Amino acid sequence: MTDKSSEVATQRTARRMAGALTVTGMIHLVRPQIYDSLIPSVMPGPARAWSVGSGFVELAVAGLLTAPATRKVGGVAAAGLFVALWPSHFKMIKDWSHKPMRKQAVAWARLPLQIPMIRSALRVARG
């Protein structure tokens, strides 16, 4: 890819990631109960605080990704956020181990799907 097309692809990835984080961040704030059960019990404080707090973090990272001056920092922050979510994915796998196989497959699929998201965020960070 040329430098210009690479830059355009990075901007497009950053915008899409920002859009997705904006949507999930808003859901965390409007319907935090959806996420409460995903918070590992080892986390200090109430699960609701983590559910709402993570919504604010997602919105902040989306903002960083949107502004060209902070896009690289936003890419690093997004990668860190996606890695930080892994304990909740492991908890979901454990909690859903008794559910129908289809739901178990969804729980397991969420974990490896984070890998391309992390890689995309790191590409944005590199510019």
Side-chain angles (χ1 to χ4, degrees), residues 3-126:
D3 286 344
K4 186 65 173 169
S5 63
S6 177
E7 182 181 328
V8 170
T10 299
Q11 289 173 357
R12 186 177 24 231
T13 299
R15 281 194 305 271
R16 287 179 180 161
M17 196 173 293
L21 286 169
T22 298
V23 170
T24 58
M26 294 302 295
I27 294 170
H28 274 81
L29 299 179
V30 174
R31 305 260 331 232
Q33 65 275 16
I34 295 170
Y35 302 97
D36 290 347
S37 67
L38 298 175
I39 307 301
S41 60
V42 299
M43 300 301 287
R48 179 59 52 89
W50 287 100
S51 296
V52 171
S54 63
F56 284 116
V57 169
E58 289 175 336
L59 292 172
V61 172
L64 290 170
L65 288 165
T66 303
T70 57
R71 187 167 292 138
K72 289 182 180 187
V73 172
V76 172
L81 174 63
F82 299 147
V83 169
L85 293 175
W86 280 36
S88 67
H89 295 307
F90 283 115
K91 182 178 187 309
M92 183 181 211
I93 289 167
K94 181 179 175 265
D95 290 350
W96 286 21
S97 63
H98 68 283
K99 296 203 181 246
M101 190 56 70
R102 186 169 145 216
K103 286 196 174 200
Q104 289 182 46
V106 167
W108 277 99
R110 290 181 70 206
L111 194 59
L113 288 175
Q114 292 294 111
I115 295 169
M117 292 169 59
I118 294 165
R119 291 179 73 189
S120 291
L122 291 175
R123 275 197 298 277
V124 169
R126 285 191 297 272

